[in-house]
Amino acid sequence: ETLQHCVRTDPDSAERFLNLMDVEIDKLTQMVLELLELSRIESGRVEMLMTHEEVADLLKKPVERMKMQAERAGLDLQLHCPEGLPVIKVDAERMERVLINIIHNAIKYTPPGGVITVSAEQVNNEILIRVSDTGEGIDEKDIPRIFERFYKTDQARASGGTGLGLAIAKHIVEAHQGRIWVESQKGVGSVFSIALKIA
Protein backbone atom coordinates (compact mmCIF):
# COMPACT_ATOMS: atom_id res chain seq x y z
CA GLU A 1 0.00 0.00 0.00
CA THR A 2 2.86 2.36 0.85
CA LEU A 3 4.53 1.55 -2.46
CA GLN A 4 1.29 2.05 -4.43
CA HIS A 5 0.88 5.47 -2.81
CA CYS A 6 4.56 6.43 -3.40
CA VAL A 7 4.52 5.45 -7.08
CA ARG A 8 1.98 8.23 -7.72
CA THR A 9 3.21 10.87 -5.29
CA ASP A 10 6.92 10.24 -4.62
CA PRO A 11 8.76 8.14 -7.26
CA ASP A 12 12.14 8.55 -5.50
CA SER A 13 10.79 7.01 -2.28
CA ALA A 14 9.15 4.25 -4.33
CA GLU A 15 12.54 3.29 -5.78
CA ARG A 16 14.11 3.30 -2.31
CA PHE A 17 11.37 1.00 -0.99
CA LEU A 18 11.86 -1.35 -3.95
CA ASN A 19 15.58 -1.58 -3.23
CA LEU A 20 14.88 -2.35 0.44
CA MET A 21 12.35 -5.01 -0.56
CA ASP A 22 14.90 -6.58 -2.90
CA VAL A 23 17.43 -6.92 -0.04
CA GLU A 24 14.83 -8.33 2.36
CA ILE A 25 13.54 -10.85 -0.20
CA ASP A 26 17.13 -12.06 -0.74
CA LYS A 27 17.46 -12.56 3.04
CA LEU A 28 14.17 -14.48 3.21
CA THR A 29 15.20 -16.66 0.27
CA GLN A 30 18.52 -17.45 1.95
CA MET A 31 16.75 -18.29 5.21
CA VAL A 32 14.27 -20.64 3.48
CA LEU A 33 17.08 -22.44 1.62
CA GLU A 34 19.11 -22.81 4.82
CA LEU A 35 16.07 -24.07 6.76
CA LEU A 36 15.41 -26.66 4.04
CA GLU A 37 19.05 -27.77 4.16
CA LEU A 38 18.98 -27.99 7.97
CA SER A 39 15.70 -29.93 7.90
CA ARG A 40 17.08 -32.42 5.37
CA ILE A 41 20.29 -32.97 7.34
CA GLU A 42 18.46 -33.38 10.67
CA SER A 43 16.00 -35.89 9.20
CA GLY A 44 18.85 -37.97 7.73
CA ARG A 45 17.48 -37.54 4.21
CA VAL A 46 20.67 -35.97 2.89
CA GLU A 47 22.88 -38.40 1.04
CA MET A 48 26.50 -37.52 1.68
CA LEU A 49 28.66 -37.88 -1.44
CA MET A 50 31.75 -39.13 0.35
CA THR A 51 35.08 -39.09 -1.48
CA HIS A 52 38.71 -39.42 -0.41
CA GLU A 53 40.18 -35.91 -0.36
CA GLU A 54 43.60 -34.40 0.20
CA VAL A 55 43.32 -31.96 3.12
CA ALA A 56 45.25 -29.24 1.27
CA ASP A 57 42.86 -29.45 -1.71
CA LEU A 58 39.83 -29.29 0.58
CA LEU A 59 41.07 -26.12 2.31
CA LYS A 60 42.43 -24.39 -0.80
CA LYS A 61 39.05 -23.88 -2.53
CA PRO A 62 37.21 -22.01 0.25
CA VAL A 63 40.31 -19.92 1.04
CA GLU A 64 40.68 -18.90 -2.61
CA ARG A 65 36.96 -18.15 -2.84
CA MET A 66 37.02 -15.88 0.22
CA LYS A 67 40.39 -14.22 -0.51
CA MET A 68 38.97 -11.25 -2.40
CA GLN A 69 36.31 -10.58 0.27
CA ALA A 70 39.03 -10.64 2.95
CA GLU A 71 41.20 -8.23 0.95
CA ARG A 72 38.26 -5.83 0.50
CA ALA A 73 37.86 -5.85 4.30
CA GLY A 74 41.58 -5.07 4.75
CA LEU A 75 42.38 -8.53 6.15
CA ASP A 76 45.16 -11.03 5.53
CA LEU A 77 43.67 -14.49 4.86
CA GLN A 78 46.36 -17.18 5.17
CA LEU A 79 46.46 -20.93 4.58
CA HIS A 80 48.89 -23.15 6.48
CA CYS A 81 48.66 -26.82 5.54
CA PRO A 82 51.69 -29.13 5.72
CA GLU A 83 52.44 -31.61 2.95
CA GLY A 84 51.78 -35.30 3.40
CA LEU A 85 48.72 -35.24 5.66
CA PRO A 86 46.62 -38.43 5.45
CA VAL A 87 43.52 -38.22 3.25
CA ILE A 88 40.08 -37.83 4.77
CA LYS A 89 36.73 -39.13 3.54
CA VAL A 90 34.26 -36.25 3.23
CA ASP A 91 31.45 -34.75 1.21
CA ALA A 92 33.80 -32.14 -0.24
CA GLU A 93 31.11 -29.70 -1.38
CA ARG A 94 29.38 -29.62 1.99
CA MET A 95 32.61 -29.44 3.98
CA GLU A 96 33.79 -26.54 1.79
CA ARG A 97 30.47 -24.81 2.56
CA VAL A 98 31.18 -25.24 6.30
CA LEU A 99 34.61 -23.65 5.90
CA ILE A 100 33.26 -20.79 3.77
CA ASN A 101 30.67 -20.04 6.45
CA ILE A 102 33.27 -19.96 9.23
CA ILE A 103 35.72 -17.86 7.18
CA HIS A 104 32.88 -15.47 6.25
CA ASN A 105 32.05 -14.99 9.95
CA ALA A 106 35.73 -14.37 10.73
CA ILE A 107 35.86 -11.69 8.02
CA LYS A 108 32.70 -10.07 9.37
CA TYR A 109 34.01 -9.79 12.93
CA THR A 110 37.71 -9.01 12.35
CA PRO A 111 38.69 -5.32 12.13
CA PRO A 112 40.83 -4.10 9.19
CA GLY A 113 44.49 -5.03 9.55
CA GLY A 114 43.61 -8.36 11.17
CA VAL A 115 44.69 -11.86 10.20
CA ILE A 116 42.57 -14.95 9.52
CA THR A 117 44.46 -18.25 9.40
CA VAL A 118 43.12 -21.54 8.04
CA SER A 119 45.33 -24.45 9.10
CA ALA A 120 45.37 -28.23 9.43
CA GLU A 121 47.40 -30.81 11.32
CA GLN A 122 47.23 -34.48 12.26
CA VAL A 123 46.43 -35.22 15.90
CA ASN A 124 46.42 -38.97 16.59
CA ASN A 125 43.86 -40.52 14.20
CA GLU A 126 42.19 -37.22 13.31
CA ILE A 127 42.80 -34.25 11.07
CA LEU A 128 42.27 -31.03 12.99
CA ILE A 129 41.21 -28.06 10.84
CA ARG A 130 41.29 -24.63 12.46
CA VAL A 131 40.03 -21.21 11.40
CA SER A 132 41.53 -18.59 13.71
CA ASP A 133 41.10 -14.83 13.63
CA THR A 134 42.28 -11.72 15.44
CA GLY A 135 38.75 -10.36 15.64
CA GLU A 136 36.35 -9.12 18.29
CA GLY A 137 36.00 -12.49 19.99
CA ILE A 138 32.82 -13.98 21.42
CA ASP A 139 31.38 -13.29 24.87
CA GLU A 140 31.82 -16.24 27.23
CA LYS A 141 28.04 -16.40 27.78
CA ASP A 142 27.45 -16.81 24.02
CA ILE A 143 29.95 -19.64 23.39
CA PRO A 144 27.72 -22.54 24.62
CA ARG A 145 24.89 -21.40 22.30
CA ILE A 146 26.83 -20.31 19.22
CA PHE A 147 25.85 -23.42 17.19
CA GLU A 148 22.11 -23.17 17.98
CA ARG A 149 19.77 -22.34 15.11
CA PHE A 150 18.77 -18.64 14.94
CA TYR A 151 21.10 -17.76 17.83
CA LYS A 152 22.91 -14.48 17.25
CA THR A 153 25.32 -12.65 19.51
CA ASP A 154 24.40 -9.04 20.27
CA GLN A 155 26.88 -7.60 17.76
CA ALA A 156 25.63 -10.02 15.07
CA ARG A 157 22.02 -8.78 15.28
CA ALA A 158 22.91 -5.50 13.62
CA SER A 159 24.76 -7.09 10.73
CA GLY A 160 22.15 -9.33 9.13
CA GLY A 161 22.60 -13.04 8.55
CA THR A 162 20.07 -15.75 9.29
CA GLY A 163 21.61 -17.25 12.42
CA LEU A 164 21.55 -20.67 10.71
CA GLY A 165 25.04 -20.94 9.23
CA LEU A 166 26.80 -22.39 12.28
CA ALA A 167 23.87 -24.70 13.08
CA ILE A 168 24.15 -26.13 9.55
CA ALA A 169 27.95 -26.37 9.93
CA LYS A 170 27.55 -28.37 13.16
CA HIS A 171 25.10 -30.82 11.59
CA ILE A 172 27.29 -31.34 8.51
CA VAL A 173 30.38 -32.00 10.65
CA GLU A 174 28.45 -34.40 12.90
CA ALA A 175 27.11 -36.19 9.80
CA HIS A 176 30.80 -36.92 9.08
CA GLN A 177 31.13 -38.36 12.63
CA GLY A 178 33.31 -35.33 13.37
CA ARG A 179 33.38 -32.64 16.03
CA ILE A 180 33.24 -28.84 15.84
CA TRP A 181 33.84 -26.34 18.63
CA VAL A 182 35.01 -22.79 19.28
CA GLU A 183 37.45 -21.20 21.68
CA SER A 184 37.35 -17.44 22.00
CA GLN A 185 38.54 -14.52 24.06
CA LYS A 186 36.81 -11.17 23.92
CA GLY A 187 38.99 -8.59 22.19
CA VAL A 188 41.60 -11.19 21.19
CA GLY A 189 39.91 -13.43 18.62
CA SER A 190 38.33 -16.81 18.00
CA VAL A 191 39.43 -20.26 16.89
CA PHE A 192 36.88 -22.58 15.27
CA SER A 193 38.11 -26.19 15.21
CA ILE A 194 36.85 -29.18 13.20
CA ALA A 195 38.11 -32.70 13.96
CA LEU A 196 37.62 -35.34 11.23
CA LYS A 197 38.72 -38.97 11.32
CA ILE A 198 41.46 -40.06 8.95
CA ALA A 199 40.12 -42.25 6.11
Side-chain angles (χ1 to χ4, degrees), residues 15 39 42 68 103 151 155 163 168:
E15 188 171 347
S39 175
E42 284 181 339
M68 195 175 290
I103 295 167
Y151 188 77
Q155 63 265 44
I168 291 171

Side-chain angles (χ1 to χ4, degrees), residues 165-189:
L166 288 177
I168 291 171
K170 182 173 187 280
H171 278 82
I172 289 173
V173 171
E174 289 179 349
H176 286 77
Q177 280 76 56
R179 297 172 290 126
I180 183 170
W181 68 95
V182 63
E183 297 158 283
S184 187
Q185 193 175 338
K186 197 72 179 154
V188 175

Side-chain angles (χ1 to χ4, degrees), residues 22 56 64 83 152 176:
D22 190 37
E64 285 174 356
E83 295 291 324
K152 295 185 181 185
H176 286 77

Side-chain angles (χ1 to χ4, degrees), residues 143-162:
I143 289 174
R145 303 191 60 193
I146 204 79
F147 294 102
E148 291 178 15
R149 63 172 73 193
F150 296 118
Y151 188 77
K152 295 185 181 185
T153 61
D154 289 339
Q155 63 265 44
R157 285 195 183 97
S159 58
T162 61

Side-chain angles (χ1 to χ4, degrees), residues 66 69 75 98-111 116 131 133 135-138 146-147 151 156 159-167 169 190 192:
M66 300 304 289
Q69 192 173 332
L75 303 171
V98 168
L99 291 167
I100 285 169
N101 182 280
I102 294 171
I103 295 167
H104 175 75
N105 283 348
I107 290 170
K108 194 158 53 170
Y109 298 117
T110 302
I116 298 166
V131 179
D133 64 58
E136 302 168 6
I138 303 164
I146 204 79
F147 294 102
Y151 188 77
S159 58
T162 61
L164 290 167
L166 288 177
S190 304
F192 281 83

Side-chain angles (χ1 to χ4, degrees), residues 25-60:
I25 288 167
D26 280 348
K27 285 182 186 174
L28 280 171
T29 303
Q30 184 186 348
M31 185 180 289
V32 169
L33 291 172
E34 290 182 351
L35 277 169
L36 284 170
E37 172 79 347
L38 194 55
S39 175
R40 281 195 294 263
I41 294 168
E42 284 181 339
S43 67
R45 290 201 310 270
V46 168
E47 189 179 334
M48 293 284 174
L49 303 173
M50 306 294 271
T51 54
H52 288 85
E53 298 288 334
E54 295 284 347
V55 178
D57 292 340
L58 187 70
L59 302 188
K60 209 176 290 177

Side-chain angles (χ1 to χ4, degrees), residues 63-80:
V63 169
E64 285 174 356
R65 186 168 162 188
M66 300 304 289
K67 196 92 175 171
M68 195 175 290
Q69 192 173 332
E71 286 171 2
R72 280 200 304 267
L75 303 171
D76 183 13
L77 176 56
Q78 303 178 354
L79 174 60
H80 298 300

Side-chain angles (χ1 to χ4, degrees), residues 1-19 21:
E1 287 172 355
T2 304
L3 192 56
Q4 285 172 337
H5 175 72
C6 285
V7 165
R8 292 190 299 271
T9 60
D10 188 355
D12 289 342
S13 290
E15 188 171 347
R16 188 165 54 84
F17 280 122
L18 281 168
N19 289 332
M21 287 166 64

